[in-house]
Amino acid sequence: SLYVYQNPASLYKNQGKLAKMECSHSISGYDRILWYKQSNYREFVFLGYLNGKIGFPEAGFDIEGDANAGGTSTLTINQLTPNSSAVYYSQQIHVDSPDTVQQ
């Protein structure tokens, strides 16, 4: 069966500290995990993504791990601020390779 897991379900830490959360999935062929946060039921803010085993985080975050099925992506918030209080989401995507161009 297919799954997407994210943990912990909730996290409480002091301002200035570091926070980590994880996401894993079982969707074969999906090798990118995108991270977002949503504050006060407003728009989603993109935090970066993991492509295979290479992270592309936005400033203030780290993203590492393995985005393939069975792997785990870890999002690190480097320094918590009041603005860090939000609901965090991970998303799995599959990107098709571009068609080869005939020379």
Side-chain angles (χ1 to χ4, degrees), residues 19-23 31-37 45-67 72-78 88-91:
K20 289 179 181 281
M21 60 195 80
E22 295 181 343
C23 178
D31 61 355
R32 297 187 194 192
I33 293 181
L34 285 61
W35 286 94
Y36 304 87
K37 73 173 183 176
V45 177
F46 179 65
L47 306 178
Y49 68 100
L50 183 65
N51 180 7
K53 296 181 179 178
I54 304 171
F56 297 89
E58 297 291 300
F61 299 88
D62 280 323
I63 297 174
E64 53 201 350
D66 183 353
T72 299
S73 171
T74 302
L75 173 73
T76 302
I77 308 168
N78 291 324
Y88 289 79
Y89 293 88
S90 58
Q91 177 189 19

Side-chain angles (χ1 to χ4, degrees), residues 80-92:
L80 291 169
T81 69
N83 191 39
S84 304
S85 182
V87 179
Y88 289 79
Y89 293 88
S90 58
Q91 177 189 19
Q92 288 59 48

